Amino acid sequence: MVKLSIVSALMFGTSSLPALSFSHPTKVFSDEYVTQTVDWISQEGIQCGQNTHAMCDTTHVEFNDGAHDPARVDSRQTVLVLDSGMDLASVLRYRSRIKAHYSYDVSSQTFVESNPRVAISKLGKKLLTELDQFQYTDFNTQQQKPGFLASAWLRDLALAYGAAAPADTADHVTGVTHFSHGSKVLGYLAQHNPKAEFVLIDTASFLPLLQHKSLVCDKDHDALSSYMQTAASSLRTDVIDEHGVEYVNYSGGFTRSHVQQAWQQNECSGSLSDSRAKKLLESLKPVYQTLFESPKTLGIQSGKRDTSSNADALDVIEYVNRIRVQPYTTETFDTNVSVYGDSGWQHVFDKFKSEFDGNQSIDMYVNFGYGRVNFFQRNQTPKMTSDMFGMQYAPDWALLSSSWAAPVVTSHAINTQSKVYEVNPHAVFSPSLLKNQLISYNCYNYGGYYSWSLYQFIRNGSNKCRIQDPLKHRSDELNRLGYLAQ
């Protein structure tokens, strides 16, 4: 359902949004490249499936065929993304901004560098590589400089490419679509943070409750915890410290239900009580501690509503450097919420109370600005998204899932920290200071709205400003750096 919604939304482009007035210096070069490339595709008569043009031939591209380019990124914006289905984005579309790609090795219980591979048309390889490695001539120095091409500029190229090589939406060998959970998360982060660099962990390879079947079936919490200590040590040393990670974006997590599902899939004999399932769940705590208590990283994770200490033992922990996020929607209503949510939020809560049910373990709510049922119902600043190739930009039609909220808050955090560096270029990154700025403790004022539910919400959040609207304030680097109209 999500896939259909996104594809449909991108068909409409940005027609429903206010006209954008582009002024970024790269835009003129982007337009020139798009025009020339679209003309070239037409002149070549590339129509894969209808002819045998050489650009339609399948080619295999591996992650190790490319390289990270430090000239394209800001090393103070290193984001660890834990997700799955990121191969096309990491191998081709954003390859120069990917520092490393990891998977979990079951035998050693460590995270090891991996080499994902995609099979795509030669045309796809050419276009995505050119977008990733784009250069333009600086007007002042007349020197070639790396340039970021925003997906909002590339719609004409997307249409020409889609018509020429429609089979490129899926891997030519495996048939697996390139539209995936990870492509959506990494795509949002890469587009809204043009200078960010990324370290990736394929979470499809990290399924410890399934991969360590004997320990789960034996209900051996201590042994599984020991394995996870080894994994956590590798995560800290080989991944986070090795690459100087400042931000963690985790659009996932584990609950007791995952343990119970693994018990069934592993075909374990006997029964599993809730208490034993909880103990097995808690064996994953060392990994969570590394993600959300490392002293130099801020972790943003998809939050869960209506948590309990028994069913959601890892979600209820107040990790010092973790922000648990959830979306809400005001549909067509434009909020008056301030940048960090210290004013205007009371009216939003009063008007949309049901959006904030089960809020005990949520640190921040972000407005998506489109309807839960009717996606056409949206306010003036809805959540935007790009297609799988990073060539189109449109209002998101996906479900209001916390998976999609995490990259919005990660982008908000990077934008906030960038403003700190503007004032003090030598500032030292402090996840605790940044977290306190993002979620202040100023929201104890009822704002003239008095109700028991409001009182409980304030109390559950310990007076923190949890209801925010970063999209209203365009709180991301794509907008701050002037790629889109302000």
Side-chain angles (χ1 to χ4, degrees):
M1 179 177 179
V2 175
K3 175 182 175 182
L4 177 61
S5 297
I6 292 293
V7 172
S8 301
L10 291 173
M11 288 174 60
F12 289 95
T14 57
S15 59
S16 62
L17 298 180
L20 300 178
S21 176
F22 298 105
S23 58
H24 195 277
T26 315
K27 179 61 165 54
V28 64
F29 298 100
S30 173
D31 289 345
E32 182 181 16
Y33 169 74
V34 169
T35 298
Q36 291 178 350
T37 306
V38 169
D39 288 346
W40 173 78
I41 292 174
S42 176
Q43 292 165 6
E44 286 288 316
I46 304 173
Q47 292 289 327
C48 301
Q50 299 181 26
N51 58 36
T52 56
H53 196 285
M55 295 304 291
C56 296
D57 293 347
T58 295
T59 184
H60 296 86
V61 190
E62 297 181 343
F63 181 79
N64 288 346
D65 292 336
H68 174 248
D69 182 359
R72 290 186 175 271
V73 297
D74 184 341
S75 62
R76 300 171 300 181
Q77 298 179 17
T78 308
V79 185
L80 170 60
V81 183
L82 295 96
D83 222 305
S84 61
M86 300 180 285
D87 291 357
L88 181 70
S90 62
V91 170
L92 280 171
R93 181 60 177 94
Y94 304 110
R95 177 63 185 93
S96 65
R97 296 167 59 192
I98 312 297
K99 295 188 76 175
H101 194 293
Y102 289 89
S103 61
Y104 177 65
D105 179 63
V106 179
S107 61
S108 64
Q109 300 100 51
T110 61
F111 291 92
V112 298
E113 293 199 50
S114 55
N115 185 32
R117 184 188 196 193
V118 297
I120 197 169
S121 71
K122 289 183 177 179
L123 175 63
K125 177 185 177 182
K126 168 184 165 63
L127 297 183
L128 296 175
T129 300
E130 289 174 351
L131 294 178
D132 177 51
Q133 300 178 1
F134 188 78
Q135 302 252 348
Y136 72 99
T137 304
D138 184 89
F139 285 120
N140 297 319
T141 65
Q142 294 302 302
Q143 298 294 314
Q144 289 284 295
K145 295 179 62 175
F148 170 75
L149 299 186
S151 59
W153 301 346
L154 305 174
R155 181 167 171 76
D156 288 347
L157 179 61
L159 296 175
Y161 173 36
D168 277 4
T169 56
D171 188 282
H172 286 201
V173 173
T174 66
V176 175
T177 178
H178 294 306
F179 182 88
S180 63
H181 193 285
S183 71
K184 186 171 171 61
V185 169
L186 179 57
Y188 187 96
L189 290 167
Q191 283 292 321
H192 286 85
N193 303 279
K195 299 294 289 183
E197 61 182 7
F198 302 96
V199 179
L200 309 180
I201 290 180
D202 179 11
T203 53
S205 74
F206 183 62
L207 302 170
L209 299 169
L210 291 171
Q211 293 162 324
H212 300 296
K213 174 180 177 179
S214 62
L215 301 184
V216 172
C217 289
D218 291 341
K219 306 175 189 175
D220 195 339
H221 161 266
D222 291 334
L224 185 57
S225 180
S226 177
Y227 277 27
M228 291 302 98
Q229 287 282 4
T230 302
S233 178
S234 172
L235 177 60
R236 170 74 68 85
T237 302
D238 301 328
V239 181
I240 293 176
D241 290 347
E242 174 68 19
H243 298 290
V245 171
E246 285 92 8
Y247 306 91
V248 172
N249 190 103
Y250 188 19
S251 294
F254 293 91
T255 66
R256 192 180 66 193
S257 65
H258 291 104
V259 180
Q260 294 162 333
Q261 290 167 14
W263 180 269
Q264 295 295 327
Q265 292 181 47
N266 288 334
E267 298 181 341
C268 301
S269 60
S271 60
L272 178 68
S273 67
D274 286 348
S275 61
R276 296 303 292 268
K278 179 185 177 184
K279 294 292 288 184
L280 287 169
L281 172 64
E282 289 175 333
S283 67
L284 303 179
K285 188 181 292 185
V287 174
Y288 271 62
Q289 289 174 327
T290 296
L291 291 174
F292 306 125
E293 285 191 341
S294 292
K296 297 180 182 179
T297 61
L298 178 66
I300 292 90
Q301 185 187 12
S302 303
K304 187 176 183 295
R305 298 177 188 267
D306 296 310
T307 55
S308 72
S309 58
N310 288 321
D312 312 288
L314 302 178
D315 289 88
V316 301
I317 299 173
E318 296 287 342
Y319 285 117
V320 63
N321 290 341
R322 174 168 72 170
I323 298 177
R324 297 160 297 184
V325 301
Q326 268 282 345
Y328 70 94
T329 180
T330 59
E331 299 187 341
T332 60
F333 177 73
D334 293 306
T335 77
N336 193 34
V337 178
S338 60
V339 176
Y340 296 110
D342 55 346
S343 66
W345 66 272
Q346 300 95 333
H347 180 50
V348 171
F349 181 88
D350 184 69
K351 189 176 177 68
F352 301 95
K353 287 186 180 68
S354 63
E355 291 292 314
F356 308 103
D357 290 341
N359 62 74
Q360 292 87 341
S361 296
I362 304 301
D363 299 307
M364 186 189 295
Y365 284 89
V366 291
N367 188 14
F368 276 16
Y370 56 78
R372 286 190 176 274
V373 178
N374 184 351
F375 297 103
F376 284 106
Q377 287 188 333
R378 48 182 178 249
N379 65 17
Q380 291 300 306
T381 51
K383 179 182 180 294
M384 302 291 285
T385 192
S386 302
D387 70 354
M388 70 188 79
F389 302 114
M391 291 187 189
Q392 299 189 72
Y393 192 67
D396 202 341
W397 281 14
L399 301 176
L400 276 85
S401 164
S402 61
S403 290
W404 318 139
V408 173
V409 176
T410 300
S411 301
H412 181 34
I414 293 173
N415 176 256
T416 298
Q417 184 64 31
S418 295
K419 293 173 183 175
V420 173
Y421 292 138
E422 275 191 327
V423 177
N424 180 9
H426 302 293
V428 176
F429 180 77
S430 169
S432 60
L433 288 177
L434 178 55
K435 181 179 177 179
N436 288 338
Q437 183 173 357
L438 290 168
I439 316 172
S440 72
Y441 289 82
N442 296 328
C443 289
Y444 45 80
N445 189 321
Y446 285 70
Y449 299 90
Y450 299 100
S451 66
W452 176 250
S453 60
L454 179 58
Y455 165 76
Q456 285 186 313
F457 182 80
I458 294 174
R459 183 181 178 183
N460 287 343
S462 302
N463 302 332
K464 291 186 292 187
C465 300
R466 297 194 288 164
I467 297 178
Q468 300 196 24
D469 195 349
L471 300 178
K472 169 186 173 64
H473 299 281
R474 296 178 171 84
S475 184
D476 58 65
E477 290 295 270
L478 182 70
N479 282 283
R480 188 183 73 85
L481 296 173
Y483 285 93
L484 304 182
Q486 299 297 315

